[in-house]
Amino acid sequence: MSGDMRLASRYLYGATIALLTIWVLVPLGLLLINTLSSPEAVNAFPKRFWPEFDLGSLRFFAGFDGMIDALFNSIWVAGLTMVLSILIGAPAGYALSRFDFPGKETFRLLVLLTRAFPLPLLALPMAIAFIRLGIDDTIFGLGLVHTMLALPFAVLITFSLFSGIPIELEEAAWTLGCTRFGAFCRVVLPLILPGITASAIFAFVISWNEVFAAAVLTIENRTLTAFLLQNLDTSPLHLKFAGGFILVVPALVFIFAVRKYLFAMWGIANR
Amino acid sequence: MAEIRLRNIAKRFGDYQALHSIDLTIADREFMVLLGASGCGKTTLLRIIAGLESPSEGEVWIGDKRVDDLPPRERGISMVFQNYAIFPHLTVFDNIGFGLKMHRLPQKTIRERVHRTAKMMHIEQLLDRYSGQISGGQRQRVAVARALAMEPDVILMDEPLSNLDALLRLEMRAELKGVLAQSDTTAIYVTHDQIEAMSLADRISVMHRGKIVQSDSPVHLYRYPADRFVAGFIGNPPMNILPATPIGDGRWQVANREFEGPRVDAKNIEFAIRPEDMHLADEGIEGRVQVVEPLGPHLLLTCDVAGCPFRATVDNDHAVNPGDIRYFAPQPDRIRWFDPLTDLALA
Ligand SMILES: Nc1ncnc2c1ncn2[C@@H]1O[C@H](COP(=O)(O)OP(=O)(O)OP(=O)(O)O)[C@@H](O)[C@H]1O
Ligand SMILES: [Mg+2]
C-alpha cells in the first residue's frame, strides 16, 4: 500500500522534473538550432531539429546596422550597473550586518520596497528628470536606473554574506595589529570575494535583460534589448533568433556560475 | 612593564547592566584568572580590556598609559577568543604568523616563532592545514599559539582550554603555565572551571552578576571566602552553612553545639565549615548520615544536621552506614561566619 504510494509519488516527481526541464530546454534548444543555421534554413519549412552549424544568421546579426553599437551599449550599461551597485550596495550590506543604528529594520524594509514601484510608473517622471539633468539618452543615465533596480539585491546579498562572517574574525585581526580597514581587506574581503563576484554578476544580468527603462530612456544609444524590441516587427526571423540567443547566453552562463549564492540569498542551504 | 588597572568600570547594554563598578589592579607578569558562572560578565570585561568594547564608565590603564581611546592594535595585547576566530582562508602557519606579519617582522623571525609556538602547542604537524581541516581542540590550540607568537605585554584568554578532552587539558594547562611563567607577559585568563582557576592562577577574581566579589590567591580564596557566594562557588562539595543563634558574650549556638564566634550584635548569623575541615569524634555537631559515597581516599558523607544538609569528607577507614548518628568536630581555625543580611563574612 505505502509502497504503491511511494512508487506513485516517485513517478509524479520524475514527471514533474521532466516537464520543467522540457519547459526550459525546448525554447533554448530552438534558439540554439536556429541561431547556428543559415537564414534560409531558419525561414524554411519544415523546421530543423539539428543545427547546420552555419554562421550565416550570426553574421547577418553582426552586420545589421546599429546592432554592434547596441551590443556594446548593453555591455557598458551592464558593466556600469555592476560596478555602481557593488560600490554602493556592499558598504550598505556591511553596515547592515555590523552596526546598530536607529531605523535599521526600516531601512532593510525600504531597500526591498524600492522594488514595489512598477517601473512604468517611474519612467515618465524619470525621463523628465533626466532631460532636465542632461543625462537622458546616455549610458550613464541608464546605468543609474539599472543600478537602482539591482541595488536591493546587491545590498541583501552582501548583507547575508557579511553576516555569515563572524565579527570575531575581524576582531581577532584588530588585536593582531590590523586597522579596521586592514582587517576588512585581509580577512573579510578574501572570504566574501566569491560572493561579491556573484552579486556583481547578478547585477550585470539584471541590467543586461532589462528592456523597459532602456526603451523609454534611450533613443540614439539603445541597448541590445531596446534595439531588438524597436526592430521587432521589421526584422527577419533569423535576426530575432540570433538576437535572442546573444541575449540569453551570457545571462544563462552567469546565473549558472553564481547559482550557489542566489540559493543562499533565498535561504536554500546547499551543502 | 604591563600592569593593568581597571578603575570603576561599568558596562551597560541598553537597560541591562553587565558590569558594575569594577576596580582591579593586575600586577606586571601576574597570572590573573577571572572565575565566574556563565553570563556573569567575564568575556565582557576581557573585551573591554582588549578594546573591542568600550566601557560605559571608568578607565582602563595598561602600563602607564590610559588606553580607553586606543584601538586594540595599539594596546600591546593579544587575545584568544572563546570561539577561536581562526581565519578560515589561511593555513595554520599563516594564522599563527598573521600578527607577526602585520608587525612587519622579518620572514626568518616569523618562521622561527611560528614553529616554536606550534611545537609548544603540539600542532607542528598541522601547519599546512586550513581551519576546516582540523578538530575543535586543535583549533583552540592554534588560537592560543597565534596569541602567544605575538609575545605580547598582555595576553587575554577566554576559556582557551574549554574544548579539550580532560587529559589534554591537564597537559596544556601545565604547559601554558610553564610558558607564561618564563615570559614577561601579564595574563588574564577567563574560565568557569574552578580547578583550572586554582591550578593556574597567581590570583583569582571571582565574578558574580557583573561584580568582582573577591580577588585573592587560590589558597586564600579557598580558606577565607569573603562572602557566601564565594563560599558556595569555590570548592566541591561546597562549604556547609548552618544557622547560628546568639548565646551572648561572643558565643553562638550551632545545632547542638556552642562555638566561640564573632562579637557582633545580631539575632542570627551563619556558621560555615568545609566538608574536609572536620573529623569524626566522640562529641561534636550531631548529624544523621543519609548517603555514604566512597571517593577513593575519602568517604563523602551527606548528613542531616538539625534539618539542614551537611557534608563531610572523612577517612575511608571509618565504617559509616546510612542511618548512623555521628559527631563532627570542626577544626576551630577553619570556621567562617557570615552575616545573612549582607552575605559578607564576619571577621
Ligand atoms: N552585545 C551585547 N548586548 C547585550 N547584552 C550582552 C551583550 N554582550 C553580552 N551581553 C550580556 O552581558 C552578560 C555578560 O556576558 P558575557 O559574555 O560577558 O558573559 P560570560 O561571563 O563571558 O559568560 P560565558 O561563561 O557563558 O561565556 C550576559 O548576560 C549577556 O547576555
Ligand atoms: Mg564568555
Side-chain angles (χ1 to χ4, degrees):
Chain A
M1 169 65 205
S2 86
D4 282 355
M5 291 272 287
R6 207 172 303 141
L7 205 63
S9 78
R10 280 259 295 271
Y11 276 126
L12 191 66
Y13 183 71
T16 314
I17 297 229
L19 206 67
L20 282 175
T21 312
I22 291 168
W23 172 269
V24 173
L25 284 188
V26 164
L28 288 178
L30 285 177
L31 266 184
L32 186 75
I33 291 163
N34 287 299
T35 304
L36 294 180
S37 299
S38 61
E40 295 74 32
V42 173
N43 290 305
F45 205 84
K47 297 296 176 196
R48 302 174 55 84
F49 287 101
W50 197 249
E52 288 178 310
F53 296 108
D54 181 298
L55 295 181
S57 291
L58 281 174
R59 216 174 291 122
F60 181 83
F61 171 84
F64 196 87
D65 199 23
M67 192 65 86
I68 290 297
D69 284 344
L71 183 67
F72 275 102
N73 282 341
S74 262
I75 293 175
W76 278 114
V77 172
L80 186 68
T81 303
M82 180 169 92
V83 171
L84 283 180
S85 59
I86 289 306
L87 281 184
I88 303 171
Y94 186 79
L96 273 177
S97 91
R98 289 292 192 251
F99 303 117
D100 273 323
F101 50 89
K104 180 169 157 173
E105 291 308 311
T106 321
F107 178 74
R108 267 179 72 182
L109 201 67
L110 281 178
V111 165
L112 272 181
L113 272 184
T114 55
R115 296 307 310 258
F117 296 101
L119 200 52
L121 210 68
L122 297 174
L124 197 62
M126 210 143 58
I128 294 171
F130 275 29
I131 290 168
R132 289 219 184 108
L133 289 170
I135 54 171
D136 58 304
D137 198 12
T138 60
I139 285 171
F140 177 70
L142 189 57
L144 280 186
V145 177
H146 286 178
T147 301
M148 182 197 81
L149 295 176
L151 206 50
F153 298 102
V155 172
L156 293 181
I157 295 177
T158 54
F159 163 68
S160 77
L161 287 173
F162 287 124
S163 301
I165 294 176
I167 179 83
E168 282 86 0
L169 289 184
E170 277 180 86
E171 291 176 341
W174 301 342
T175 63
L176 291 168
C178 285
T179 59
R180 199 159 185 130
F181 182 68
F184 182 85
C185 294
R186 281 169 193 281
V187 175
V188 179
L189 215 51
L191 289 172
I192 60 155
L193 208 56
I196 290 274
T197 314
S199 149
I201 285 174
F202 193 57
F204 187 96
V205 171
I206 285 182
S207 164
W208 181 262
N209 285 341
E210 201 284 327
V211 61
F212 188 86
V216 173
L217 293 175
T218 57
I219 299 161
E220 295 291 316
N221 295 310
R222 298 237 127 154
T223 60
L224 193 55
T225 47
F227 189 76
L228 284 173
L229 185 71
Q230 176 187 13
N231 297 306
L232 203 56
D233 38 357
T234 57
S235 55
L237 198 55
H238 50 276
L239 184 74
K240 290 179 191 166
F241 272 119
F245 184 76
I246 297 292
L247 274 178
V248 162
V249 163
L252 215 58
V253 168
F254 284 160
I255 294 288
F256 189 75
V258 304
R259 66 197 183 285
K260 179 174 146 204
Y261 295 94
L262 299 179
F263 286 151
M265 180 177 70
W266 292 322
I268 304 169
N270 69 326
R271 257 164 216 271
Chain B
M1 258 309 276
E3 182 188 68
I4 300 168
R5 272 170 298 158
L6 305 175
R7 291 251 182 286
N8 200 27
I9 300 280
K11 178 69 186 177
R12 282 178 289 275
F13 293 109
D15 289 340
Y16 180 76
Q17 180 128 19
L19 295 175
H20 301 265
S21 61
I22 303 262
D23 271 298
L24 188 64
T25 303
I26 298 153
D28 184 31
R29 301 187 194 186
E30 189 173 22
F31 198 122
M32 168 65 85
V33 171
L34 297 179
L35 177 65
S38 188
C40 68
K42 306 179 296 288
T43 299
T44 307
L45 186 57
L46 213 58
R47 287 171 58 83
I48 286 175
I49 299 170
L52 297 171
E53 204 88 67
S54 52
S56 309
E57 281 167 35
E59 303 172 4
V60 181
W61 295 72
I62 297 180
D64 41 21
K65 264 194 303 187
R66 183 169 173 189
V67 296
D68 297 32
D69 295 324
L70 294 184
R73 67 180 189 290
E74 288 169 28
R75 295 188 178 201
I77 52 116
S78 64
M79 178 151 173
V80 180
F81 288 78
Q82 195 165 3
N83 52 4
Y84 333 128
I86 305 295
F87 305 127
H89 61 301
L90 299 178
T91 60
V92 168
F93 182 98
D94 289 333
N95 262 284
I96 301 176
F98 187 91
L100 306 174
K101 207 165 139 196
M102 288 301 97
H103 285 85
R104 304 228 159 74
L105 270 74
Q107 280 297 327
K108 195 161 151 279
T109 320
I110 296 182
R111 215 171 311 123
E112 273 169 19
R113 274 215 225 165
V114 170
H115 280 285
R116 184 148 42 89
T117 41
K119 194 166 171 186
M120 212 149 63
M121 302 309 290
H122 305 301
I123 47 174
E124 295 155 286
Q125 73 286 5
L126 305 177
L127 286 175
D128 295 329
R129 304 250 195 110
Y130 288 88
S131 78
Q133 303 168 324
I134 58 180
S135 75
Q138 290 168 335
R139 250 172 254 168
Q140 205 154 38
R141 280 179 280 159
V142 173
V144 175
R146 186 174 65 184
L148 286 176
M150 298 287 289
E151 298 180 356
D153 295 337
V154 177
I155 185 165
L156 307 169
M157 291 173 276
D158 200 347
E159 313 205 7
L161 305 184
S162 60
N163 259 317
L164 306 184
D165 60 60
L167 202 65
L168 191 56
R169 197 161 168 176
L170 218 65
E171 196 180 309
M172 302 296 327
R173 198 162 84 190
E175 201 110 17
L176 205 57
K177 189 167 182 170
V179 169
L180 287 171
Q182 283 165 28
S183 70
D184 294 339
T185 306
T186 308
I188 305 183
Y189 186 106
V190 163
T191 180
H192 54 244
D193 179 340
Q194 45 171 303
I195 309 286
E196 196 168 287
M198 294 272 174
S199 75
L200 282 171
D202 293 327
R203 206 147 55 98
I204 298 177
S205 292
V206 179
M207 292 185 68
H208 181 48
R209 300 221 180 112
K211 293 195 178 101
I212 290 185
V213 286
Q214 188 173 4
S215 290
D216 249 321
S217 71
V219 172
H220 210 263
L221 195 74
Y222 189 78
R223 188 126 339 142
Y224 306 107
D227 71 2
R228 273 196 63 161
F229 172 77
V230 179
F233 190 73
I234 305 280
N236 187 21
M239 236 173 169
N240 294 301
I241 295 188
L242 295 172
T245 48
I247 302 171
D249 207 22
R251 296 189 66 77
W252 300 85
Q253 181 80 35
V254 179
N256 57 321
R257 301 286 294 176
E258 280 182 27
F259 288 93
E260 191 77 38
R263 294 173 176 277
V264 291
D265 189 22
K267 266 216 157 44
N268 289 300
I269 61 172
E270 284 170 330
F271 164 97
I273 185 82
R274 291 213 177 268
E276 66 273 21
D277 291 340
M278 292 175 289
H279 57 270
L280 290 174
D282 292 337
E283 51 182 25
I285 297 173
E286 180 186 299
R288 174 183 295 276
V289 178
Q290 291 173 316
V291 183
V292 179
E293 296 169 76
L295 303 175
H298 305 291
L299 297 179
L300 173 61
L301 309 181
T302 305
C303 313
D304 173 277
V305 172
C308 300
F310 191 84
R311 290 198 186 82
T313 49
V314 300
D315 238 33
N316 60 5
D317 54 4
H318 294 284
V320 185
N321 294 306
D324 292 358
I325 303 283
R326 294 287 171 148
Y327 298 92
F328 300 94
Q331 247 170 281
D333 62 324
R334 298 288 166 84
I335 298 170
R336 303 287 291 164
W337 302 89
F338 294 107
D339 181 343
L341 295 177
T342 59
D343 278 349
L344 293 178
L346 295 163

